[in-house]
Amino acid sequence: MFRFLHRRLPHVALLLLSACGLARCAAEPADQATIDRLYSAPAPVTEAGQRVFFIGHSLIGKDMPAMLAQLAPEGHGYESQLGWGAELQAHWEPDVPLAGGEVENAHPRFREAREAVASGDYDVLVVTEKIGLQASIEYHESWRYLALWAESAWAANPDTRVYLYETWHETDVAEGWLARIDGDLGALWEREIVDRALTETGAERPIYVIPAGQVLAAFVRRLDAEGGVGGLASRADLFDDSIHVNDLGDYLVALTHYAVIYGRSPVGLPYELVLADGSPAAAPGPEAARLMQEVVWDVVASYPRSGVRPPG
């Protein structure tokens, strides 16, 4: 029997590698009953300003968190660690290069991520994953590193709320930008990243989702349906290039973070803000700003994994 197993062992190993790739096997996604339990109640938000730590790349950037700080209640604070197209793995592993870190983190709000999260100083941890998302999941174990960041935050401060920031692919993606946003939320962001991370962490606490990709898609659809609003005609008015948003897009994403983190409607918030360097941001104007704020609240308040429930 032993000789048989010894002869068969290389074949068993090959089967395991073909099933799991070169990385370890992924945790099974949490089942629907677990998901329903974790997201049945709203997130425990407070009236006070929150201290937020961001981990990610240029789709967080420097300006969006600065805009959020201007929208948030008194006492809000933030720091970040960013890279160029950085995976969650690169932020966690000391021997994996963090491309562009020396450039992206050359600002006063930088704090080394492992030390920051383990400090217990933060009420909120916001992380995001590298785009293209499928490759990040397959080759960089997105679910595993989301779980590691969440566990580190909770070990230091059990009250920290952990959020995965849903972003978007390039506007010229072959399958269609809106189609990718529609399909990726459930198939990739939720099932392949969050739900596997929930299993990895023991499914005792939710990991919430900031649905910024969904908000962008909903706002673009409203622009298309109404033939433009307040000087904004189409998706192109929100982007600097095929993936990076401009000041107006950053404002929309900052509103989304505000609505999720604070559990409040952003309708009525200011829209004339400044960038991280103190210079004026391009402002959307009152009509477009109002539509942005309304769309954000419609999306966030109807999405259970945001942790937000509308009053009443």
Side-chain angles (χ1 to χ4, degrees):
M1 180 68 171
F2 175 80
R3 287 195 300 272
F4 172 78
L5 288 174
H6 185 268
R7 289 195 304 270
R8 300 296 295 173
L9 193 57
H11 301 283
V12 173
L14 285 173
L15 285 172
L16 287 172
L17 283 174
S18 65
C20 304
L22 295 177
R24 72 177 191 175
C25 290
E28 286 297 315
D31 60 30
Q32 191 59 50
T34 298
I35 292 165
D36 292 343
R37 170 176 59 82
L38 290 173
Y39 298 100
S40 62
V45 297
T46 69
E47 294 293 320
Q50 301 289 280
R51 191 156 182 205
V52 183
F53 194 78
F54 294 94
I55 298 173
H57 45 67
S58 58
L59 298 188
I60 291 175
K62 303 178 187 70
D63 292 325
M64 187 279 289
M67 290 183 177
L68 172 61
Q70 295 164 71
L71 302 172
E74 185 176 354
H76 178 97
Y78 70 95
E79 282 81 32
S80 68
Q81 179 173 292
L82 307 174
W84 290 340
E87 309 92 1
L88 289 174
Q89 179 190 49
H91 285 285
W92 180 270
E93 298 289 357
D95 58 346
V96 175
L98 182 61
E102 67 283 357
V103 175
E104 291 298 313
N105 296 314
H107 59 88
R109 296 288 184 174
F110 167 68
R111 187 175 181 184
E112 196 281 323
R114 290 284 294 268
E115 181 273 327
V117 173
S119 72
D121 291 341
Y122 295 93
D123 305 296
V124 171
L125 173 63
V126 176
V127 306
T128 196
E129 186 54 291
K130 178 181 179 178
I131 298 299
L133 198 57
Q134 185 66 57
S136 293
I137 293 166
E138 184 173 355
Y139 298 109
H140 301 286
E141 297 182 294
S142 305
W143 58 272
R144 179 181 175 224
Y145 286 95
L146 174 58
L148 287 169
W149 284 114
E151 288 173 332
S152 178
W154 293 330
N157 180 355
D159 294 329
T160 298
R161 304 193 310 279
V162 178
Y163 294 86
L164 179 64
Y165 160 32
E166 176 228 5
T167 61
W168 51 90
H169 281 265
E170 291 86 350
T171 55
D172 56 0
V173 66
E175 302 92 325
W177 185 73
L178 288 172
R180 281 300 301 268
I181 290 177
D182 292 345
D184 285 359
L185 178 66
L188 300 182
W189 293 102
E190 292 178 356
R191 182 150 182 89
E192 292 298 328
I193 302 180
V194 175
D195 293 354
R196 293 187 191 278
L198 291 174
T199 298
E200 187 76 2
T201 61
E204 296 179 358
R205 299 177 177 89
I207 296 172
Y208 300 105
V209 178
I210 298 175
Q214 303 305 303
V215 166
L216 272 171
F219 185 71
V220 166
R221 285 182 165 118
R222 285 292 297 273
L223 288 180
D224 291 344
E226 298 183 24
V229 173
L232 302 184
S234 69
R235 180 184 67 193
D237 292 322
L238 301 174
F239 281 81
D240 273 335
D241 56 34
S242 64
I243 193 164
H244 297 99
V245 292
N246 58 22
D247 293 356
L248 302 178
D250 268 334
Y251 177 69
L252 187 58
V253 173
L255 289 171
T256 307
H257 279 71
Y258 171 90
V260 173
I261 291 171
Y262 287 102
R264 307 177 198 171
S265 169
V267 174
L269 287 176
Y271 55 87
E272 293 179 334
L273 306 178
V274 298
L275 303 177
D277 64 5
S279 62
E287 186 181 4
R290 178 78 181 196
L291 181 61
M292 287 179 169
Q293 294 164 1
E294 290 173 350
V295 167
V296 165
W297 189 238
D298 287 345
V299 172
V300 166
S302 63
Y303 179 53
R305 293 195 194 223
S306 71
V308 175
R309 302 293 182 274

